[in-house]
Amino acid sequence: MTFDPSTLFAVFFYAFAGLLVISALRVITARNPVHAALFLVLAFFCASGLWMLLKAEFLSLALILVYVGAVMVLFLFVVMMLDLDLEHLRRDFRKYLPVAFLMGAVIVLELSIVIIRSFIGTNAPVQPMPEEIAANNTLALGRLIFVDYVYAFEVAGVILLVAIIAAVALTLRNRKDSKSQNIHEQVNVVAADRMRVVKMGSDMGAKQDTRGEKK
């Protein structure tokens, strides 16, 4: 019994796509944030499988190594270390629901505009790449990122840097047991305020020792 390659491809494609949709829904519906992070890992694996089927091997392996291997592990550590107050989050869920629907509608509208302008009603021909570049998808991806879309790539890097700084600023807490440096006070320090010179005779130390022995 032989299998048609196209049929086998369709089976794997729909299997990965179905698991991806289910895991993505569980990410936003799971009550436990750790479970949500684990479902996000499953979603990344399914997306990686889809990219592998589409012959984008570099993107598939990069998704597993970078996102699953580094980013998601960091997410899990952060979620477990923060000890989130789940009851407080659930209590204020309905309060922020209108804002969430508004942001979701804006995102859907933006994606719709991009899809409509890119794939519907356009007659712009696709510019083919040279054969030596098109044969290697890693080389083709590097050419697109660092040559054709280098400015967009740099802007994305700046946005990620701003997000990292914002995350550090939001999680910074002033605790009583934490110690920090005051650079202004260190620069303006006066030696007389930090050090005192005491003049002692040469026999004063011996006298203090004998007094201590008599007691």
Side-chain angles (χ1 to χ4, degrees):
M1 183 177 180
T2 59
F3 292 96
D4 188 5
S6 60
T7 304
L8 192 61
F9 176 86
V11 170
F12 279 106
F13 180 84
Y14 286 112
F16 282 126
L19 286 175
L20 178 59
V21 173
I22 294 173
S23 57
L25 290 175
R26 289 297 297 159
V27 169
I28 60 176
T29 57
R31 294 181 178 272
N32 193 330
V34 178
H35 294 170
L38 292 176
F39 277 113
L40 187 56
V41 172
L42 179 60
F44 283 151
F45 271 110
C46 295
S48 176
L50 289 176
W51 281 349
M52 188 66 73
L53 290 175
L54 296 176
K55 298 181 180 181
E57 298 86 0
F58 178 80
L59 291 177
S60 177
L61 296 177
L63 182 62
I64 293 178
L65 295 176
V66 177
Y67 283 91
V68 178
V71 177
M72 282 313 305
V73 173
L74 180 61
F75 281 178
L76 285 174
F77 275 111
V78 170
V79 168
M80 289 186 292
M81 290 177 62
L82 286 180
D83 193 13
L84 299 176
D85 187 4
L86 299 179
E87 296 297 332
H88 177 72
L89 295 177
R90 294 170 185 171
R91 184 173 61 251
D92 296 338
F93 176 75
R94 295 182 180 180
K95 178 181 178 181
Y96 299 104
L97 197 59
V99 180
F101 276 120
L102 179 61
M103 294 179 63
V106 171
I107 293 174
V108 171
L109 180 61
E110 291 177 350
L111 291 176
S112 302
I113 293 174
V114 172
I115 293 174
I116 291 173
R117 294 190 61 181
S118 301
F119 300 99
I120 300 176
T122 178
N123 296 322
V126 178
Q127 298 180 358
M129 289 187 175
E131 295 183 358
E132 61 273 9
I133 298 178
N136 189 344
N137 58 8
T138 305
L139 182 60
L141 181 63
R143 181 185 178 90
L144 288 174
I145 292 178
F146 298 108
V147 177
D148 298 337
Y149 299 100
V150 62
Y151 294 111
F153 182 76
E154 295 295 335
V155 170
V158 173
I159 293 174
L160 289 176
L161 178 61
V162 172
I164 293 173
I165 297 174
V168 173
L170 290 174
T171 56
L172 183 62
R173 299 175 183 176
N174 293 325
R175 300 183 301 178
K176 295 181 179 179
D177 57 345
S178 62
K179 298 181 180 180
S180 60
Q181 292 181 338
N182 192 331
I183 306 300
H184 178 72
E185 292 182 357
Q186 292 178 349
V187 172
N188 296 326
V189 67
V190 180
D193 298 336
R194 296 296 181 92
M195 184 177 62
R196 185 178 63 179
V197 179
V198 179
K199 295 182 178 180
M200 299 177 61
S202 58
D203 58 341
M204 187 174 295
K207 292 180 179 180
Q208 290 180 354
D209 293 339
T210 54
R211 291 176 183 176
E213 292 177 357
K214 290 180 180 179
K215 291 181 179 180

